[in-house]
Amino acid sequence: MSKSLPVMKMSRLYAPTLKEDPAEAELASHRLLLRAGMIRKQAAGLYSYLPLAWRSIQKIEQICREEMDAVGAQEMLAPILTDAALWEESGRIGAYGPELMRLEDRHGRTFCLGPTHEETFTDLVRNELRSYKQLPVTLYHIQDKFRDELRPRFGLMRSREFIMKDAYSFSATQESLSEVYEDMKGAYARYCERCGLKALPVAADSGEIGGDASVEYMALADAGEASLVWCDCGFAADDEAASTTVAVSEGPGDGTLQKVETPGLGTIEAVAAFFGFPENGTRKSLALIDGEGNPVVAIVPGDHELNDIKAAKLFGEYHLMTDEELEEYDLHKGFIGPVNLPQGIRLVCDESLKASTSWTCGANEVDYHFTGAQPGRDFTVDAWEDLVTVKPGDPCPHCGKPLKGGRGIECGQVFQIGPDKYAAKMGATFADENGREQPFYMGCYGIGISRTLAAVVEQHHDEHGIIWPVSVAPYEVSVIALDKKGEAFDAAAEIAAQLAEAGIEVVFDDRAERPGVKFADNDLMGFPYQVVVGKRGIRAGTVEVKDRATGERTDVALSDVVAHLSELVEAGRR
Ligand code: ATP
Ligand code: MG
């Protein structure tokens, strides 16, 4: 038997809705959370969560809490402020840069508003978690974090104060850390699923926090900042980081080297169209100056881009040649190629071109291309390297099937940090079986609670408003009275009371508004189920139940309303 709950009257609810789209909001989540009266901006990147949003946030936190507890993590609460001296100890005070918000106390001592809490937790355990017998230990808390983001934007997506769950694990060995890490990955996947998010675990660069292994949990949405490729076999990666052998087609011709006049055709598109060939059958040549000031020509399949991160790894701080530099090295924009390359220019080609023997490429002469150019025979490649940004449609590096592509919102990230980055630097050690002092093998695990709310809205909305999954909805059901008073109004109040009595979270739209206004507001706020109560229905003994997600309307007998909605809500609670 569920606990009886109070009914929230819409006439009393503090949810100042907006009729118009706020001009500053580009993303659906930002726009709809503002319009539904769920969040308000206080200053750049600082938001209040109004009552509806706060209810959803608390549900997201609770899902997170349950999943953390299920893998043995223990909840606690550390201070938001951290002594800057701890950041000096870890050496991160410089690395974090201006994102770290600092302040001075009355004694002139510097503190940081925690952007993340590795230092705090390492300091917490370093003198009191003493023996291998106590390990592993995982601690977490859910609290506000502060980052003075260069560009706070998109509402809750990238704010300067936001809610994060951060967990820290302390293990005696790498094996133990790996086990904790695997458990956490399971918890993160379940967290996303229970919040109603379609999310992918993506292998990540560990960035500022450091360490060996890291996975980001990416909620798929066009609004995401990350560009991803993935495959049904389970492979997923940031397109910048992914490597695969791109399928390339051979160019036109019979395999002999032919110089063809291509007047004014200085783009891949124009050359492909001229030969009536896919862009993939052409070769794209980019002239650059590497970090040491030396000229390089890099060649990739015509339909792919040179990947900046991979190129920077190979060429250092490189730049594409300016018009003056092109002239200096006797290269002609739009007509650069591997054959007859001027002396002294290094030729680096994408690995996927290695097996191709008939290249269509610039002739190093204005208005001419070659077809049928063959590496080894017609030119010498100095190095074959992985140069391209992987695209949807390229073969999956694991199974070969065509990759899918899309954008992702990072909702969480897990890291295996190991012993060096914090524990060793900050002298956080335990006594091992032989009584020797060893630094902890650490892991850290973050979830953006407030960003999750925005990600859920990105995945669940339509032109009328938000469509909350039941598990994170501010209220599960709204009861809409079509009449302002009288028998139908009283019946609506009664139904709302009965639903609440049965443990369903109910908002009762008792406002003296026209039905159209009520429908629009309820759609905007996105309660999963609406119970519409009107005079005609009541006389016939029925109400209409609308499923916000599908728009489907069902007439339900008054005597069945509670059972019907209990069943629907129970199924969605997860
Ligand atoms: P991003 O790359 O988006 O800046 P991050 O990798 O720096 O994020 P982490 O240090 O991994 O972030 O923090 C853990 C989680 O906190 C992130 O996965 C994200 O969900 C959330 N988060 C980070 N920065 C913000 C922010 N400015 N506003 C809201 N949520 C944030
Ligand atoms: Mg991250």
Side-chain angles (χ1 to χ4, degrees):
M1 190 52 196
S2 305
K3 191 163 115 261
S4 158
L5 296 170
V7 173
M8 182 71 225
K9 285 186 184 161
M10 190 85 101
S11 60
R12 311 301 311 150
L13 179 69
Y14 191 67
T17 54
L18 305 175
K19 289 226 165 50
E20 305 293 328
D21 282 342
E24 81 261 29
E26 289 170 54
L27 298 193
S29 56
H30 189 190
R31 178 166 50 82
L32 292 173
L33 289 169
L34 283 169
R35 277 198 54 203
M38 296 187 68
I39 60 169
R40 281 297 178 266
K41 180 164 125 181
Q42 201 260 306
L46 303 181
Y47 285 87
S48 296
Y49 308 93
L50 305 194
L52 288 175
W54 189 242
R55 290 179 66 94
S56 290
I57 288 281
Q58 284 179 302
K59 288 189 178 180
I60 295 171
E61 286 185 0
Q62 186 54 23
I63 290 172
C64 180
R65 191 171 276 130
E66 287 170 15
E67 293 304 334
M68 288 298 104
D69 294 351
V71 293
Q74 301 173 54
E75 187 171 7
M76 54 165 283
L77 185 61
I80 287 173
L81 286 179
T82 333
D83 193 330
L86 287 180
W87 287 75
E88 301 278 359
E89 270 189 66
S90 71
R92 273 212 297 186
I93 191 119
Y96 234 90
E99 239 182 57
L100 190 63
M101 290 183 140
R102 297 153 215 238
L103 55 90
E104 264 187 17
D105 71 6
R106 65 171 75 202
H107 309 292
R109 206 178 165 99
T110 306
F111 286 81
C112 311
L113 286 166
T116 171
H117 271 60
E118 283 76 10
E119 283 81 357
T120 299
F121 279 77
T122 306
D123 175 57
L124 178 77
V125 301
R126 67 175 153 184
N127 294 315
E128 292 185 301
L129 188 58
R130 296 298 310 139
S131 163
Y132 73 96
K133 289 182 197 150
Q134 298 167 276
L135 304 180
V137 169
T138 304
L139 301 171
Y140 75 98
H141 63 177
I142 301 176
Q143 91 184 157
D144 280 12
K145 292 285 182 285
F146 296 81
R147 294 184 186 181
D148 201 355
E149 298 275 357
L150 185 60
R151 268 188 290 281
R153 55 192 174 148
F154 307 145
L156 301 185
M157 207 66 92
R158 185 169 295 286
S159 44
R160 296 198 295 170
E161 176 175 350
F162 58 97
I163 307 171
M164 198 205 283
K165 182 284 303 181
D166 43 327
Y168 305 88
S169 70
F170 301 90
S171 286
T173 60
Q174 175 58 48
E175 295 70 63
S176 161
L177 168 56
S178 300
E179 278 169 28
V180 176
Y181 181 77
E182 289 306 316
D183 284 349
M184 277 290 181
K185 289 206 291 195
Y188 272 52
R190 286 189 296 277
Y191 165 82
C192 292
E193 212 216 292
R194 290 182 61 192
C195 290
L197 285 177
K198 190 169 169 355
L200 293 174
V202 174
D205 239 23
S206 40
E208 198 42 62
I209 296 183
D212 305 310
S214 176
V215 169
E216 290 171 331
Y217 289 79
M218 294 288 190
L220 298 177
D222 291 341
E225 289 182 275
S227 180
L228 307 174
V229 285
W230 69 88
C231 176
D232 293 336
C233 79
F235 170 80
D238 199 293
D239 65 0
E240 295 280 339
S243 288
T244 191
T245 305
V246 173
V248 289
S249 44
E250 299 291 338
D254 58 4
T256 59
L257 186 67
Q258 307 254 359
K259 193 154 100 179
V260 185
E261 197 174 358
T262 50
L265 304 181
T267 64
I268 292 288
E269 201 186 351
V271 171
F274 177 81
F275 288 108
F277 244 74
E279 294 185 8
N280 184 262
T282 68
R283 307 290 174 255
K284 187 184 283 181
S285 303
L286 299 123
L288 51 98
I289 303 286
D290 72 14
E292 287 171 358
N294 299 315
V296 178
V297 162
I299 302 188
V300 297
D303 62 342
H304 278 71
E305 301 300 328
L306 177 68
N307 180 300
D308 189 43
I309 295 170
K310 293 177 184 174
K313 274 197 189 129
L314 290 168
F315 306 128
E317 270 187 46
Y318 78 96
H319 66 264
L320 293 178
M321 284 192 193
T322 61
D323 288 350
E324 291 75 49
E325 284 164 339
L326 286 170
E327 206 178 317
E328 179 187 338
Y329 290 101
D330 201 18
L331 293 170
H332 311 285
K333 202 186 232 165
F335 300 95
I336 303 167
V339 186
N340 300 335
L341 203 60
Q343 284 283 317
I345 300 180
R346 208 158 89 87
L347 180 61
V348 182
C349 297
D350 186 64
E351 270 165 359
S352 55
L353 297 172
K354 212 167 180 175
S356 165
T357 54
S358 182
W359 297 23
T360 298
C361 45
N364 292 314
E365 199 179 322
V366 175
D367 290 346
Y368 285 94
H369 276 78
F370 280 118
T371 58
Q374 186 178 327
R377 184 189 69 189
D378 304 319
F379 58 92
T380 306
V381 176
D382 295 307
W384 298 96
E385 300 282 1
D386 175 16
L387 293 177
V388 298
T389 300
V390 172
K391 293 202 305 189
D394 285 343
C396 167
H398 287 182
C399 75
K401 280 207 225 107
L403 289 169
K404 296 174 184 170
R407 304 195 70 81
I409 299 166
E410 185 195 319
C411 288
Q413 185 165 14
V414 293
F415 297 89
Q416 291 193 40
I417 303 178
D420 299 331
K421 179 121 187 170
Y422 302 100
K425 275 197 188 134
M426 296 178 65
T429 60
F430 64 96
D432 72 7
E433 286 167 63
N434 305 309
R436 273 197 307 258
E437 290 297 316
Q438 305 282 2
F440 295 107
Y441 281 80
M442 284 177 60
C444 73
Y445 319 87
I447 282 181
I449 300 284
S450 45
R451 187 183 283 181
T452 297
L453 185 80
V456 169
V457 178
E458 288 299 335
Q459 284 192 2
H460 301 275
H461 71 268
D462 62 13
E463 68 274 27
H464 304 296
I466 304 170
I467 307 171
W468 292 108
V470 171
S471 60
V472 297
Y475 289 93
E476 293 161 333
V477 173
S478 65
V479 176
I480 303 172
L482 294 183
D483 292 355
K484 292 169 193 158
K485 51 184 192 298
E487 57 170 332
F489 181 92
D490 295 342
E494 178 56 26
I495 291 166
Q498 284 173 4
L499 292 170
E501 175 79 14
I504 293 173
E505 299 170 8
V506 185
V507 60
F508 173 34
D509 197 346
D510 61 336
R511 295 173 303 164
E513 293 281 1
R514 285 181 292 110
V517 172
K518 293 189 177 188
F519 293 146
D521 284 347
N522 279 272
D523 277 359
L524 176 62
M525 292 175 186
F527 310 115
Y529 299 102
Q530 300 170 7
V531 180
V532 183
V533 186
K535 218 175 302 166
R536 207 177 317 142
I538 290 301
R539 284 180 187 156
T542 63
V543 294
E544 188 182 75
V545 174
K546 177 177 151 185
D547 180 330
R548 174 68 182 88
T550 61
E552 205 181 316
R553 294 160 197 274
T554 319
D555 283 334
V556 177
L558 276 172
S559 54
D560 289 343
V561 175
V562 173
H564 184 79
L565 283 155
S566 296
E567 198 176 314
L568 289 174
V569 164
E570 203 51 57
R573 274 184 180 159
R574 301 194 234 217

